[in-house]
Amino acid sequence: MPKRDRSSSGPAPGDRSSTKKRARIVLDAAATAVVEDIDMLTTRYTTAATDGIDLSGQPGDGNFYARWVKMGQGDCIALATPGGKTLLVDCGSLASDGLSDATLKRFAQYSLFGKRFLGGTAPGGKKRQLDILVLTHPDDDHNNKLADVLTREKVSPYVDRIYNSADLGMYRRSTQTWVQKWQLDTGYEYLVTYNKDTVVTGGATVIDGAIALARRNKYETKYVDVPVPTKDAATEATEVATADLFNYLDSEGRLVIHHEMSGCKISILASGVKKEYTKDNDAEKLANRASVVLLVEVFGKKLLLCGDATKSTETYLMEKSVNAAKNRVHLANVDVLHVAHHGSHLTSSSEAFMDLVKPRSQAVISAGKTGVKEHHLPDSRVVNGYADQFGAGTATEHEVWYWVVGADEITQTKKKLTAPVYTTGSLASDPWHESKLDIIWKKP
């Protein structure tokens, strides 16, 4: 592959961790200006017909849809399956990119409550619910806006199944309260452990960790372990031909949380990873290392959602997992990649992982337009590394902001790319039109 433009002159300070010698941060002059025309955006919102402007398509129309919802420095990804299920992966933010919280909330709601995701009606004329919520890990920028964004006029959509990488008690209080209130009586919250690995001790191979689910409903205070059956390929194919399936291990060792008759399959490849296989600077109670990693497969295409997975998570997936060999096949050449940890180079995106996943269509980084200066995300080495893989001229020219991290100086800058690597903040704040923050995979 082409040599990557590292844009770095020395070792990098931590994205979040402290350093003995603090690097000088240099801001691009444009970064001190208002990053968007707030008046124009607010006017656009207030003059729009209430819930009247919608992107075409909706869950169950036979196509697959996904959208990265602009959250400033945060994560929020909505999915709609061909068979009619609506999913949300995280919903949080730590910085709003110059937009007021109220404006950011409005735009997030326009994205989520349009007919493509939570708007409109479900089969049978019922209000559409949130079928699956995945909370990748407890960091605020992945869950602190959930209750606020999903509540309109004191009402939220009900949620059926919830998957966490940590006890819900570790998540933000507002998130816990929202789940308690809006979880269906028949729904369950699942604590997912997927960190079963192989360790060589004294020349012997030892199996450690687990692939397990524990669940509780809205009235229970303790998690109860539930069995996770294994389905061979023939059984899986026979059963999914007549009904949607969930919560089982397939013949490839993937923990399938949703497999529908349309063929859309959503699996967890890692959750709750604890070991530091590779130095990953995960200083925040190991929350990032433990992130849920999701693989979505539909119509022969693959979407990989990495949360804040670290280099240790990547090493687990590629080398240490009991299913590492099979994982490498599934991770290779995904079509669309959600880049781990907002484009961090210090914690995530090892060269080996970047070379393996090597996205075919595009890579998307959840990061503010100019980022948060104390975290300096995304890193130029991640942006340029993926851009090099695609090559120049593979996408329409667009602007990306990133941070160049050197030994003594951290410089914020922007670059015009002609490769399909995007940051959520660098694309227009417009929930009414499709952009590179949208995926539309039509039924063949």
Side-chain angles (χ1 to χ4, degrees):
M1 60 178 289
K3 184 178 179 181
R4 297 192 180 112
D5 174 10
R6 297 292 174 189
S7 299
S8 175
S9 58
D15 296 317
R16 293 177 181 265
S17 59
S18 60
T19 56
K20 292 182 179 179
K21 181 180 179 182
R22 189 164 300 278
R24 186 170 70 96
I25 294 177
V26 180
L27 302 179
D28 186 288
T32 60
V34 177
V35 297
E36 304 215 33
D37 186 343
I38 308 300
D39 291 338
M40 180 274 291
L41 293 174
T42 303
T43 300
R44 179 81 181 278
Y45 171 81
T46 55
T47 57
T50 303
D51 295 329
I53 299 178
D54 267 309
L55 301 176
S56 62
Q58 63 179 351
D61 67 3
N63 302 318
F64 173 80
Y65 303 99
R67 166 169 280 197
W68 277 263
V69 180
K70 281 175 66 84
M71 297 296 289
Q73 188 66 36
D75 263 279
C76 184
I77 304 168
L79 311 175
T81 72
K85 300 297 184 184
T86 304
L87 296 83
L88 185 65
V89 182
D90 290 333
C91 189
S93 178
L94 288 181
S96 57
D97 240 358
L99 295 170
S100 70
D101 285 344
T103 301
L104 194 70
K105 174 183 174 179
R106 291 187 192 111
F107 288 170
Q109 288 180 331
Y110 257 99
S111 287
L112 293 177
F113 286 97
K115 289 187 177 67
R116 185 171 285 185
F117 299 109
L118 289 171
T121 56
K126 298 179 180 179
K127 288 186 176 180
R128 187 164 295 284
Q129 67 184 32
L130 181 57
D131 297 289
I132 298 175
L133 170 65
V134 177
L135 299 172
T136 60
H137 65 296
D139 282 357
D140 269 7
D141 59 337
H142 289 255
N143 78 96
N144 67 352
K145 300 296 184 182
L146 180 72
D148 195 32
V149 167
L150 288 185
T151 303
R152 300 193 309 170
E153 298 179 359
K154 300 182 180 180
V155 176
S156 281
Y158 284 99
V159 60
D160 188 7
R161 287 183 280 133
I162 304 161
Y163 295 86
N164 317 315
S165 64
D167 187 308
L168 193 66
M170 295 180 64
Y171 289 79
R172 192 175 183 87
R173 176 65 66 180
S174 63
T175 301
Q176 298 176 48
T177 302
W178 185 89
V179 168
Q180 179 69 23
K181 183 175 182 179
W182 295 104
Q183 184 180 353
L184 286 168
D185 286 349
T186 55
Y188 285 99
E189 172 213 335
Y190 292 92
L191 175 58
V192 185
T193 303
Y194 197 126
N195 57 21
K196 194 171 185 179
D197 66 5
T198 54
V199 181
V200 178
T201 303
T205 300
V206 179
I207 304 298
D208 194 16
I211 302 176
L213 288 175
R215 77 180 188 189
R216 63 184 177 191
N217 64 29
K218 65 188 300 181
Y219 304 109
E220 296 171 322
T221 58
K222 295 182 179 180
Y223 290 99
V224 177
D225 291 337
V226 294
V228 183
T230 298
K231 298 182 186 294
D232 60 43
T235 300
E236 182 183 29
T238 299
E239 292 184 357
V240 81
T242 57
D244 292 351
L245 306 177
F246 63 94
N247 292 358
Y248 67 93
L249 291 174
D250 68 6
S251 59
E252 299 292 296
R254 293 169 291 190
L255 177 55
V256 182
I257 63 171
H258 180 66
H259 190 182
E260 62 188 33
M261 291 181 281
S262 73
C264 180
K265 187 173 184 177
I266 302 174
S267 308
I268 292 177
L269 301 183
S271 179
V273 172
K274 297 179 179 178
K275 297 177 184 177
E276 187 177 37
Y277 298 104
T278 306
K279 184 174 176 57
D280 62 8
N281 294 276
D282 188 6
E284 297 187 354
K285 299 179 181 178
L286 311 182
N288 293 331
R289 189 182 305 162
S291 282
V292 173
V293 176
L294 281 177
L295 178 66
V296 181
E297 299 167 286
V298 58
F299 305 146
K301 297 180 182 293
K302 296 184 289 187
L303 165 64
L304 183 65
L305 305 176
C306 293
D308 277 3
T310 70
K311 292 177 182 178
S312 286
T313 320
E314 296 166 1
T315 301
Y316 166 80
L317 288 166
M318 296 184 295
E319 301 175 19
K320 299 298 183 180
S321 168
V322 292
N323 296 304
K326 294 174 180 177
N327 283 343
R328 287 195 294 272
V329 174
H330 297 301
L331 293 169
N333 301 113
V334 300
D335 291 273
V336 178
L337 173 68
H338 169 234
V339 178
H341 200 185
H342 316 283
S344 169
H345 176 266
L346 182 73
T347 65
S348 312
S349 294
S350 64
E351 286 195 29
F353 190 73
M354 294 172 73
D355 289 343
L356 175 62
V357 298
K358 199 173 185 180
R360 290 183 283 199
S361 178
Q362 67 186 63
V364 180
I365 301 171
S366 295
K369 182 173 184 179
T370 57
V372 181
K373 66 181 180 181
E374 61 266 31
H375 298 163
H376 40 84
L377 302 173
D379 192 295
S380 62
R381 291 164 288 188
V382 176
V383 174
N384 289 324
Y386 281 116
D388 286 348
Q389 288 184 343
F390 287 109
T394 52
T396 302
E397 185 178 80
H398 58 282
E399 210 170 70
V400 171
W401 292 69
Y402 56 53
W403 298 81
V404 179
V405 182
D408 302 306
E409 186 173 270
I410 303 168
T411 305
Q412 182 191 51
T413 188
K414 58 184 174 180
K415 181 177 181 178
K416 291 187 181 299
L417 291 182
T418 57
V421 180
Y422 307 95
T423 61
T424 54
S426 292
L427 292 168
S429 282
D430 186 348
W432 304 281
H433 293 92
E434 290 164 359
S435 72
K436 296 303 179 181
L437 298 183
D438 291 291
I439 299 173
I440 305 172
W441 289 340
K442 294 187 176 182
K443 182 179 179 180

mmCIF file with all atom_site columns, all heavy atoms in Angstrom, residues 408-421:
data_model
loop_
_atom_site.group_PDB
_atom_site.id
_atom_site.type_symbol
_atom_site.label_atom_id
_atom_site.label_alt_id
_atom_site.label_comp_id
_atom_site.label_asym_id
_atom_site.label_entity_id
_atom_site.label_seq_id
_atom_site.pdbx_PDB_ins_code
_atom_site.Cartn_x
_atom_site.Cartn_y
_atom_site.Cartn_z
_atom_site.occupancy
_atom_site.B_iso_or_equiv
_atom_site.pdbx_formal_charge
_atom_site.auth_seq_id
_atom_site.auth_comp_id
_atom_site.auth_asym_id
_atom_site.auth_atom_id
_atom_site.pdbx_PDB_model_num
ATOM 1   N N   . ASP A 1 408 ? 6.544   18.449 20.318 1.00 0.00 ? 408 ASP A N   1
ATOM 2   C CA  . ASP A 1 408 ? 6.420   19.640 21.151 1.00 0.00 ? 408 ASP A CA  1
ATOM 3   C C   . ASP A 1 408 ? 5.247   20.534 20.777 1.00 0.00 ? 408 ASP A C   1
ATOM 4   O O   . ASP A 1 408 ? 5.025   21.560 21.408 1.00 0.00 ? 408 ASP A O   1
ATOM 5   C CB  . ASP A 1 408 ? 7.713   20.473 21.064 1.00 0.00 ? 408 ASP A CB  1
ATOM 6   C CG  . ASP A 1 408 ? 8.937   19.686 21.489 1.00 0.00 ? 408 ASP A CG  1
ATOM 7   O OD1 . ASP A 1 408 ? 8.907   19.136 22.614 1.00 0.00 ? 408 ASP A OD1 1
ATOM 8   O OD2 . ASP A 1 408 ? 9.891   19.599 20.704 1.00 0.00 ? 408 ASP A OD2 1
ATOM 9   N N   . GLU A 1 409 ? 4.522   20.152 19.753 1.00 0.00 ? 409 GLU A N   1
ATOM 10  C CA  . GLU A 1 409 ? 3.467   21.045 19.284 1.00 0.00 ? 409 GLU A CA  1
ATOM 11  C C   . GLU A 1 409 ? 2.324   20.231 18.691 1.00 0.00 ? 409 GLU A C   1
ATOM 12  O O   . GLU A 1 409 ? 2.533   19.228 18.014 1.00 0.00 ? 409 GLU A O   1
ATOM 13  C CB  . GLU A 1 409 ? 4.042   22.001 18.233 1.00 0.00 ? 409 GLU A CB  1
ATOM 14  C CG  . GLU A 1 409 ? 3.090   23.076 17.777 1.00 0.00 ? 409 GLU A CG  1
ATOM 15  C CD  . GLU A 1 409 ? 3.784   24.083 16.871 1.00 0.00 ? 409 GLU A CD  1
ATOM 16  O OE1 . GLU A 1 409 ? 4.327   25.072 17.384 1.00 0.00 ? 409 GLU A OE1 1
ATOM 17  O OE2 . GLU A 1 409 ? 3.785   23.846 15.646 1.00 0.00 ? 409 GLU A OE2 1
ATOM 18  N N   . ILE A 1 410 ? 1.095   20.662 18.974 1.00 0.00 ? 410 ILE A N   1
ATOM 19  C CA  . ILE A 1 410 ? -0.104  20.047 18.402 1.00 0.00 ? 410 ILE A CA  1
ATOM 20  C C   . ILE A 1 410 ? -0.788  21.106 17.554 1.00 0.00 ? 410 ILE A C   1
ATOM 21  O O   . ILE A 1 410 ? -1.211  22.139 18.076 1.00 0.00 ? 410 ILE A O   1
ATOM 22  C CB  . ILE A 1 410 ? -1.062  19.563 19.504 1.00 0.00 ? 410 ILE A CB  1
ATOM 23  C CG1 . ILE A 1 410 ? -0.336  18.578 20.438 1.00 0.00 ? 410 ILE A CG1 1
ATOM 24  C CG2 . ILE A 1 410 ? -2.276  18.876 18.893 1.00 0.00 ? 410 ILE A CG2 1
ATOM 25  C CD1 . ILE A 1 410 ? -1.105  18.293 21.704 1.00 0.00 ? 410 ILE A CD1 1
ATOM 26  N N   . THR A 1 411 ? -0.865  20.885 16.274 1.00 0.00 ? 411 THR A N   1
ATOM 27  C CA  . THR A 1 411 ? -1.365  21.900 15.355 1.00 0.00 ? 411 THR A CA  1
ATOM 28  C C   . THR A 1 411 ? -2.701  21.492 14.766 1.00 0.00 ? 411 THR A C   1
ATOM 29  O O   . THR A 1 411 ? -2.840  20.388 14.220 1.00 0.00 ? 411 THR A O   1
ATOM 30  C CB  . THR A 1 411 ? -0.360  22.138 14.214 1.00 0.00 ? 411 THR A CB  1
ATOM 31  O OG1 . THR A 1 411 ? 0.911   22.464 14.762 1.00 0.00 ? 411 THR A OG1 1
ATOM 32  C CG2 . THR A 1 411 ? -0.840  23.282 13.323 1.00 0.00 ? 411 THR A CG2 1
ATOM 33  N N   . GLN A 1 412 ? -3.659  22.371 14.870 1.00 0.00 ? 412 GLN A N   1
ATOM 34  C CA  . GLN A 1 412 ? -4.970  22.132 14.274 1.00 0.00 ? 412 GLN A CA  1
ATOM 35  C C   . GLN A 1 412 ? -4.964  22.668 12.849 1.00 0.00 ? 412 GLN A C   1
ATOM 36  O O   . GLN A 1 412 ? -4.521  23.804 12.602 1.00 0.00 ? 412 GLN A O   1
ATOM 37  C CB  . GLN A 1 412 ? -6.038  22.839 15.094 1.00 0.00 ? 412 GLN A CB  1
ATOM 38  C CG  . GLN A 1 412 ? -7.448  22.617 14.593 1.00 0.00 ? 412 GLN A CG  1
ATOM 39  C CD  . GLN A 1 412 ? -8.427  23.537 15.279 1.00 0.00 ? 412 GLN A CD  1
ATOM 40  O OE1 . GLN A 1 412 ? -8.192  24.740 15.322 1.00 0.00 ? 412 GLN A OE1 1
ATOM 41  N NE2 . GLN A 1 412 ? -9.497  22.998 15.827 1.00 0.00 ? 412 GLN A NE2 1
ATOM 42  N N   . THR A 1 413 ? -5.435  21.883 11.922 1.00 0.00 ? 413 THR A N   1
ATOM 43  C CA  . THR A 1 413 ? -5.408  22.328 10.538 1.00 0.00 ? 413 THR A CA  1
ATOM 44  C C   . THR A 1 413 ? -6.531  21.665 9.760  1.00 0.00 ? 413 THR A C   1
ATOM 45  O O   . THR A 1 413 ? -7.282  20.858 10.281 1.00 0.00 ? 413 THR A O   1
ATOM 46  C CB  . THR A 1 413 ? -4.049  21.988 9.891  1.00 0.00 ? 413 THR A CB  1
ATOM 47  O OG1 . THR A 1 413 ? -3.965  22.603 8.600  1.00 0.00 ? 413 THR A OG1 1
ATOM 48  C CG2 . THR A 1 413 ? -3.864  20.492 9.743  1.00 0.00 ? 413 THR A CG2 1
ATOM 49  N N   . LYS A 1 414 ? -6.658  22.028 8.520  1.00 0.00 ? 414 LYS A N   1
ATOM 50  C CA  . LYS A 1 414 ? -7.662  21.418 7.650  1.00 0.00 ? 414 LYS A CA  1
ATOM 51  C C   . LYS A 1 414 ? -6.998  21.051 6.334  1.00 0.00 ? 414 LYS A C   1
ATOM 52  O O   . LYS A 1 414 ? -5.998  21.631 5.927  1.00 0.00 ? 414 LYS A O   1
ATOM 53  C CB  . LYS A 1 414 ? -8.838  22.361 7.425  1.00 0.00 ? 414 LYS A CB  1
ATOM 54  C CG  . LYS A 1 414 ? -8.481  23.708 6.828  1.00 0.00 ? 414 LYS A CG  1
ATOM 55  C CD  . LYS A 1 414 ? -9.708  24.599 6.747  1.00 0.00 ? 414 LYS A CD  1
ATOM 56  C CE  . LYS A 1 414 ? -9.317  26.005 6.279  1.00 0.00 ? 414 LYS A CE  1
ATOM 57  N NZ  . LYS A 1 414 ? -10.498 26.894 6.202  1.00 0.00 ? 414 LYS A NZ  1
ATOM 58  N N   . LYS A 1 415 ? -7.606  20.072 5.677  1.00 0.00 ? 415 LYS A N   1
ATOM 59  C CA  . LYS A 1 415 ? -7.021  19.581 4.439  1.00 0.00 ? 415 LYS A CA  1
ATOM 60  C C   . LYS A 1 415 ? -8.126  19.242 3.464  1.00 0.00 ? 415 LYS A C   1
ATOM 61  O O   . LYS A 1 415 ? -9.183  18.744 3.861  1.00 0.00 ? 415 LYS A O   1
ATOM 62  C CB  . LYS A 1 415 ? -6.169  18.330 4.726  1.00 0.00 ? 415 LYS A CB  1
ATOM 63  C CG  . LYS A 1 415 ? -5.490  17.737 3.504  1.00 0.00 ? 415 LYS A CG  1
ATOM 64  C CD  . LYS A 1 415 ? -4.620  16.550 3.903  1.00 0.00 ? 415 LYS A CD  1
ATOM 65  C CE  . LYS A 1 415 ? -3.911  15.969 2.686  1.00 0.00 ? 415 LYS A CE  1
ATOM 66  N NZ  . LYS A 1 415 ? -3.018  14.836 3.066  1.00 0.00 ? 415 LYS A NZ  1
ATOM 67  N N   . LYS A 1 416 ? -7.911  19.506 2.215  1.00 0.00 ? 416 LYS A N   1
ATOM 68  C CA  . LYS A 1 416 ? -8.861  19.115 1.182  1.00 0.00 ? 416 LYS A CA  1
ATOM 69  C C   . LYS A 1 416 ? -8.499  17.700 0.731  1.00 0.00 ? 416 LYS A C   1
ATOM 70  O O   . LYS A 1 416 ? -7.389  17.445 0.278  1.00 0.00 ? 416 LYS A O   1
ATOM 71  C CB  . LYS A 1 416 ? -8.824  20.090 0.013  1.00 0.00 ? 416 LYS A CB  1
ATOM 72  C CG  . LYS A 1 416 ? -9.371  21.474 0.364  1.00 0.00 ? 416 LYS A CG  1
ATOM 73  C CD  . LYS A 1 416 ? -9.482  22.352 -0.864 1.00 0.00 ? 416 LYS A CD  1
ATOM 74  C CE  . LYS A 1 416 ? -10.004 23.740 -0.510 1.00 0.00 ? 416 LYS A CE  1
ATOM 75  N NZ  . LYS A 1 416 ? -11.349 23.690 0.084  1.00 0.00 ? 416 LYS A NZ  1
ATOM 76  N N   . LEU A 1 417 ? -9.457  16.803 0.883  1.00 0.00 ? 417 LEU A N   1
ATOM 77  C CA  . LEU A 1 417 ? -9.244  15.413 0.513  1.00 0.00 ? 417 LEU A CA  1
ATOM 78  C C   . LEU A 1 417 ? -10.045 15.062 -0.739 1.00 0.00 ? 417 LEU A C   1
ATOM 79  O O   . LEU A 1 417 ? -11.141 15.589 -0.949 1.00 0.00 ? 417 LEU A O   1
ATOM 80  C CB  . LEU A 1 417 ? -9.695  14.477 1.636  1.00 0.00 ? 417 LEU A CB  1
ATOM 81  C CG  . LEU A 1 417 ? -8.892  14.449 2.938  1.00 0.00 ? 417 LEU A CG  1
ATOM 82  C CD1 . LEU A 1 417 ? -9.497  13.417 3.880  1.00 0.00 ? 417 LEU A CD1 1
ATOM 83  C CD2 . LEU A 1 417 ? -7.433  14.132 2.689  1.00 0.00 ? 417 LEU A CD2 1
ATOM 84  N N   . THR A 1 418 ? -9.507  14.167 -1.522 1.00 0.00 ? 418 THR A N   1
ATOM 85  C CA  . THR A 1 418 ? -10.265 13.604 -2.643 1.00 0.00 ? 418 THR A CA  1
ATOM 86  C C   . THR A 1 418 ? -10.336 12.088 -2.474 1.00 0.00 ? 418 THR A C   1
ATOM 87  O O   . THR A 1 418 ? -10.349 11.336 -3.435 1.00 0.00 ? 418 THR A O   1
ATOM 88  C CB  . THR A 1 418 ? -9.629  13.961 -3.999 1.00 0.00 ? 418 THR A CB  1
ATOM 89  O OG1 . THR A 1 418 ? -8.269  13.507 -4.012 1.00 0.00 ? 418 THR A OG1 1
ATOM 90  C CG2 . THR A 1 418 ? -9.682  15.457 -4.248 1.00 0.00 ? 418 THR A CG2 1
ATOM 91  N N   . ALA A 1 419 ? -10.373 11.675 -1.214 1.00 0.00 ? 419 ALA A N   1
ATOM 92  C CA  . ALA A 1 419 ? -10.583 10.270 -0.840 1.00 0.00 ? 419 ALA A CA  1
ATOM 93  C C   . ALA A 1 419 ? -11.778 10.229 0.104  1.00 0.00 ? 419 ALA A C   1
ATOM 94  O O   . ALA A 1 419 ? -12.027 11.189 0.843  1.00 0.00 ? 419 ALA A O   1
ATOM 95  C CB  . ALA A 1 419 ? -9.335  9.709  -0.165 1.00 0.00 ? 419 ALA A CB  1
ATOM 96  N N   . PRO A 1 420 ? -12.552 9.136  0.126  1.00 0.00 ? 420 PRO A N   1
ATOM 97  C CA  . PRO A 1 420 ? -13.797 9.079  0.907  1.00 0.00 ? 420 PRO A CA  1
ATOM 98  C C   . PRO A 1 420 ? -13.572 8.837  2.403  1.00 0.00 ? 420 PRO A C   1
ATOM 99  O O   . PRO A 1 420 ? -14.023 7.847  2.974  1.00 0.00 ? 420 PRO A O   1
ATOM 100 C CB  . PRO A 1 420 ? -14.563 7.928  0.251  1.00 0.00 ? 420 PRO A CB  1
ATOM 101 C CG  . PRO A 1 420 ? -13.494 7.026  -0.281 1.00 0.00 ? 420 PRO A CG  1
ATOM 102 C CD  . PRO A 1 420 ? -12.389 7.933  -0.735 1.00 0.00 ? 420 PRO A CD  1
ATOM 103 N N   . VAL A 1 421 ? -12.876 9.757  3.045  1.00 0.00 ? 421 VAL A N   1
ATOM 104 C CA  . VAL A 1 421 ? -12.701 9.764  4.493  1.00 0.00 ? 421 VAL A CA  1
ATOM 105 C C   . VAL A 1 421 ? -13.356 11.040 4.994  1.00 0.00 ? 421 VAL A C   1
ATOM 106 O O   . VAL A 1 421 ? -12.993 12.141 4.561  1.00 0.00 ? 421 VAL A O   1
ATOM 107 C CB  . VAL A 1 421 ? -11.214 9.723  4.893  1.00 0.00 ? 421 VAL A CB  1
ATOM 108 C CG1 . VAL A 1 421 ? -11.069 9.735  6.416  1.00 0.00 ? 421 VAL A CG1 1
ATOM 109 C CG2 . VAL A 1 421 ? -10.531 8.498  4.297  1.00 0.00 ? 421 VAL A CG2 1
#
